[in-house]
Amino acid sequence: MDNSITLSLQELISSGCLSESTFAFDHEVSDTPEIYNSISKDKLSSLNAVKVSLLLSKVFHDLYPSFHGPSLAKLDSSNVFIQAKCCAEVDLEPTTPDDAGGEPIGAPARAEGGAHRFSNRSIGVIDGEDSISSNSSFDAALDEIFADDHEAGQEDGSNGSDEIGCGGFRRSQRTEGTTSAVDATDMNRHSTGRALIPISDTVQFRAIDRSSMCKLHCTLVSLVIICEPLDNGSSPPPTQGVSSSAALQILGNLVHAVFSQRENPSTALQADDSLEANDDIIIASNAPRRSRPRRNENGSLFFRLSRSGRYPISICRLLSDMIDVGLDGKADAPFASVDEVIEDLQQMSLYPETFLHDPDNSFHSPSLLFGQRHYGRDAEVTKILEISTRLEQSASKSDGSEEGQTETVFISGIAGCGKTHMARRVGSFLCSLGWMVLEAKFDRCTEYESREVIFLVFDKLMSMFVDMKHRSNEKDMEFAAHAKEAISDAFDSASLSALADLIPSARTFLESAEGKKGSITSRTDMTHWQLIILISKLLSTILRLGRFIMICLNDLQWCDSNMLMLINEVLLSVSQHKKERQHLLFVGTYRQNEINVGHPLASRLLNLKRNTLISVTEMNLASLSRDDIGCMLMTEMGLPRRLIHGLADVVHKNTSG
């Protein structure tokens, strides 16, 4: 059964539901309650208006070329009709029957003719000229919730009383041919919650009290524009085309009517002008005022709209760039087509906090902080996450059917193309899943410090264990205890001393190790191969505990040959043991233009590729595209795409992406 209703845009605006109810498209329905839970009334009104305007613009885009110019000029909100599915939210409150078998407590009072008059707590019908058939789904649903005693209670011998438990609901007997939106099982299930009752015709919608519009949920289905002929004569008027700018002005006036919630576009403009004229009164009041931008303070529509204080700056810009055009127009960046209007509205609908609502005070900083979000590289990030998932699935196979490999990913590209940023994006996500993520970076002209960079990675690992020991999370505390015991059992006193000397956090973590292992305070001189064995053994011992670890080393082109060999040998060592290799993901980044055939990294990569127990995934990152840079500028600056095209081209050209 189709419960949609059709209303004119004029009626939708005058009803007040744009500022009180919740609007959504079909694909948003499941998320709507969460989206609107904490949104303010002003933001709700703006977002609802954006959704209606987006639907209006899409239909206008397809139809306006076929409209007659003179009739198009007469278009207003009474010529636009919206089909929507509306549901009223009704509180289900436990009630107790009175002695006379009357209506339960909390039920609306009945008006003459049997129609329900609804209070602010419940949505419904106000008595008036329009009566509602007792066979309507809306009325039947109400009868399920609020009804006089019926024979349902006869099952427990209560002589017609249908009281359900103590303080339960009454429900009427379902009559033949009546469809109800809330059945008996729903009543029991939602006995302390709410029910959504469909509004099945316009009579019911018109009877809803304005103060109760806040409990109405509307799903936008379709929109129709009816453009009347120039006259009603027997012969049709000649077809007259309309320019793109004229069409945008007409659409802009309709959109303005939606946002101002005034049925007539010209009335909306006059209302905004009157607000501007009374601006001194607004200033004198105690109400806080937001700062208003000074953009073309020469009577432009943008300035008038922003001075009114009724609209977000994004909407002032949208309306100005649609309406304030032509020879005398003062818009800074007039729309070139309806397509651009649709794109702006889509951005506002999908990301209202970025593109619709005014930014909070935290936005106003001396400089924009780029690099806080991620742009582009979705395919590459997805690929690495697929590899991590493969590791997890391999480790979960208890039957031994999955041998797995040591997974390594090498990301190459020119300087500044986003290699490190992408690796951190992956690491941040894996960390949220419980992985231990370790990162370090090699620096130019400091190859002699490469050894310290390797030690820093394991120092961070030991620091994580120290932190786990002092957390309230029992699993982390237990894991840290197991790690300490495993390391103490795996190494002799000389090796423990070496670990403490090379990795400062190891001393803190292992300071209470059993005395049988001896002191860990002395320094031990080690050869390069002894160091490789020590680091390999430490990593393997920890991996055997079952926690997934991601190690990321950035700028490998600046790592010296000895440490590259250490990394190579540690990976080879880990690959020899099934459980260890199933819990390690190694990620390395390097600048491809600084690596040639004779570079030590090239030979180490080739060596890893030849090993069947090591999987090597190579990714070469190209520069960011103009579209990626455009998305970055749009999001960081909160501007629509059409306004940053030129800047995106300049940034792309000057930075090579």
Side-chain angles (χ1 to χ4, degrees):
M1 178 179 178
D2 185 6
N3 290 319
S4 62
I5 60 175
T6 300
L7 301 166
S8 70
L9 180 59
Q10 186 179 66
E11 185 172 11
L12 191 71
I13 293 172
S14 62
S15 69
C17 66
L18 278 176
S19 60
E20 302 288 346
S21 309
T22 59
F23 282 75
F25 298 112
D26 283 332
H27 64 278
E28 296 177 311
V29 171
S30 61
D31 298 330
T32 297
E34 288 74 17
I35 292 175
Y36 290 108
N37 269 345
S38 59
I39 194 171
S40 68
K41 184 176 178 179
D42 289 342
K43 289 184 176 182
L44 171 66
S45 178
S46 296
L47 187 54
N48 286 340
V50 162
K51 294 178 186 294
V52 173
S53 299
L54 176 57
L55 186 59
L56 171 63
S57 300
K58 288 181 176 179
V59 175
F60 188 88
H61 171 270
D62 295 335
L63 296 181
Y64 90 83
S66 62
F67 289 160
H68 296 154
S71 59
L72 186 64
K74 299 191 322 182
L75 192 64
D76 62 23
S77 57
S78 64
N79 303 114
V80 180
F81 295 87
I82 295 176
Q83 183 184 11
K85 293 181 180 179
C86 300
C87 291
E89 186 177 284
V90 177
D91 294 330
L92 302 182
E93 301 178 1
T95 61
T96 55
D98 54 30
D99 294 337
E103 297 207 1
I105 299 171
R110 284 188 181 272
E112 293 182 8
H116 284 292
R117 180 185 297 275
F118 281 72
S119 67
N120 289 342
R121 291 192 306 148
S122 56
I123 301 299
V125 181
I126 302 175
D127 60 318
E129 298 179 358
D130 301 317
S131 62
I132 297 179
S133 168
S134 61
N135 289 329
S136 70
S137 61
F138 185 82
D139 197 48
L142 291 176
D143 286 340
E144 288 288 332
I145 303 174
F146 308 114
D148 294 333
D149 291 345
H150 284 277
E151 64 184 22
Q154 294 178 0
E155 297 175 1
D156 59 4
S158 56
N159 193 24
S161 172
D162 62 345
E163 182 178 354
I164 302 175
C166 180
F169 290 97
R170 292 177 180 152
R171 57 182 178 86
S172 64
Q173 182 182 20
R174 188 185 299 269
T175 58
E176 186 175 351
T178 300
T179 303
S180 173
V182 183
D183 59 21
T185 56
D186 288 334
M187 297 302 301
N188 291 329
R189 184 170 63 251
H190 299 291
S191 59
T192 59
R194 296 175 178 178
L196 291 178
I197 302 177
I199 307 296
S200 57
D201 58 52
T202 54
V203 174
Q204 296 166 5
F205 178 87
R206 291 167 185 160
I208 298 177
D209 189 285
R210 188 183 182 101
S211 63
S212 295
M213 281 291 177
C214 61
K215 296 185 178 182
L216 196 66
H217 303 275
C218 302
T219 301
L220 298 172
V221 177
S222 63
L223 183 144
V224 176
I225 298 176
I226 299 177
C227 200
E228 296 291 340
L230 183 61
D231 57 48
N232 295 323
S234 57
S235 60
T239 300
Q240 300 181 22
V242 61
S243 66
S244 176
S245 60
L248 283 166
Q249 283 181 315
I250 295 168
L251 176 61
N253 286 328
L254 286 172
V255 172
H256 189 192
V258 174
F259 278 95
S260 65
Q261 297 189 33
R262 299 179 185 274
E263 299 90 339
N264 192 309
S266 60
T267 305
L269 285 171
Q270 293 170 5
D272 290 329
D273 288 340
S274 66
L275 282 173
E276 180 189 356
N278 295 326
D279 198 52
D280 292 338
I281 299 176
I282 298 175
I283 294 174
S285 70
N286 293 326
R289 293 189 61 203
R290 66 177 183 179
S291 60
R292 290 172 183 151
R294 303 295 179 183
R295 173 184 171 185
N296 288 348
E297 293 188 19
N298 52 0
S300 68
L301 179 59
F302 178 90
F303 179 65
R304 288 154 54 197
L305 293 174
S306 62
R307 288 278 291 179
S308 74
R310 297 187 61 197
Y311 312 99
I313 295 302
S314 59
I315 299 305
C316 297
R317 179 173 54 241
L318 176 85
L319 295 174
S320 174
D321 292 347
M322 294 174 70
I323 301 172
D324 201 3
V325 296
L327 295 178
D328 297 326
K330 299 180 177 64
D332 283 349
F335 283 99
S337 66
V338 179
D339 289 307
E340 289 187 344
V341 176
I342 293 173
E343 185 177 15
D344 276 23
L345 289 169
Q346 282 178 329
Q347 291 171 356
M348 295 179 191
S349 176
L350 292 172
Y351 311 105
E353 291 300 330
T354 300
F355 296 108
L356 173 58
H357 307 313
D358 286 335
D360 56 28
N361 293 332
S362 64
F363 177 83
H364 301 285
S365 59
S367 60
L368 294 174
L369 299 177
F370 289 91
Q372 305 303 307
R373 298 182 179 92
H374 305 286
Y375 304 94
R377 315 303 188 200
D378 291 341
E380 291 85 356
V381 169
T382 301
K383 178 63 177 176
I384 300 177
L385 292 179
E386 287 175 353
I387 293 172
S388 69
T389 302
R390 188 163 67 236
L391 278 174
E392 293 172 343
Q393 291 174 342
S394 174
S396 66
K397 300 289 185 180
S398 58
D399 57 1
S401 58
E402 292 284 347
E403 290 294 330
Q405 294 175 292
T406 299
E407 296 286 354
T408 64
V409 179
F410 289 89
I411 306 170
S412 62
I414 63 173
C417 71
K419 303 180 296 296
T420 300
H421 201 63
M422 189 184 83
R424 287 175 179 169
R425 180 179 176 185
V426 173
S428 177
F429 180 78
L430 292 180
C431 187
S432 69
L433 298 181
W435 283 54
M436 301 178 73
V437 179
L438 309 168
E439 180 191 357
K441 179 183 182 301
F442 298 98
D443 293 321
R444 185 191 295 272
C445 302
T446 57
E447 288 86 350
Y448 60 90
E449 295 181 354
S450 297
R451 177 174 168 142
E452 301 304 319
V453 174
I454 299 296
F455 295 157
L456 176 62
V457 171
F458 289 92
D459 189 60
K460 290 180 178 179
L461 181 59
M462 293 294 107
S463 296
M464 288 182 179
F465 290 137
V466 173
D467 292 339
M468 287 180 182
K469 287 172 58 178
H470 301 94
R471 291 179 187 172
S472 58
N473 187 306
E474 292 185 4
K475 289 185 177 180
D476 283 346
M477 294 174 64
E478 183 179 350
F479 182 76
H482 288 166
K484 179 178 178 180
E485 182 180 358
I487 295 172
S488 298
D489 291 341
F491 292 90
D492 57 23
S493 58
S495 298
L496 287 174
S497 297
L499 281 176
D501 189 39
L502 300 172
I503 306 172
S505 294
R507 181 184 302 277
T508 304
F509 181 56
L510 300 171
E511 60 184 354
S512 59
E514 295 296 333
K516 64 179 181 179
K517 291 297 179 184
S519 173
I520 58 172
T521 58
S522 62
R523 176 181 180 83
T524 305
D525 294 328
M526 305 182 68
T527 66
H528 182 64
W529 279 104
Q530 286 175 324
L531 178 61
I532 291 175
I533 294 171
L534 183 70
I535 296 297
S536 299
K537 190 172 183 179
L538 175 61
L539 181 58
S540 296
T541 300
I542 297 171
L543 289 171
R544 280 197 294 270
L545 298 175
R547 186 73 67 98
F548 292 98
I549 296 177
M550 171 182 165
I551 297 177
C552 179
L553 297 179
N554 295 304
D555 289 321
L556 286 171
Q557 74 276 0
W558 294 327
C559 179
D560 73 16
S561 57
N562 283 335
M563 290 301 103
L564 285 174
M565 185 174 83
L566 182 145
I567 295 170
N568 186 92
E569 295 299 329
V570 169
L571 292 174
L572 290 174
S573 175
V574 169
S575 68
Q576 301 303 311
H577 304 281
K578 178 180 175 180
K579 187 168 185 177
E580 298 163 20
R581 64 174 176 259
Q582 290 176 337
H583 288 82
L584 176 66
L585 172 61
F586 176 84
V587 178
T589 71
Y590 64 94
R591 298 182 182 179
Q592 188 179 29
N593 57 319
E594 297 188 27
I595 300 296
N596 53 37
V597 178
H599 194 282
L601 179 58
S603 62
R604 295 303 172 188
L605 269 174
L606 183 60
N607 188 34
L608 292 176
K609 291 177 184 178
R610 290 172 177 168
N611 193 298
T612 58
L613 294 177
I614 296 179
S615 172
V616 178
T617 301
E618 294 184 276
M619 296 181 178
N620 179 255
L621 298 189
S623 301
L624 287 174
S625 65
R626 283 183 176 84
D627 286 341
D628 290 334
I629 292 176
C631 288
M632 180 188 300
L633 295 173
M634 285 166 52
T635 305
E636 299 297 338
M637 303 176 73
L639 294 173
R641 188 182 300 274
R642 63 188 176 89
L643 297 183
I644 54 84
H645 273 310
L647 180 59
D649 288 339
V650 172
V651 172
H652 185 269
K653 180 179 179 180
N654 291 344
T655 64
S656 299

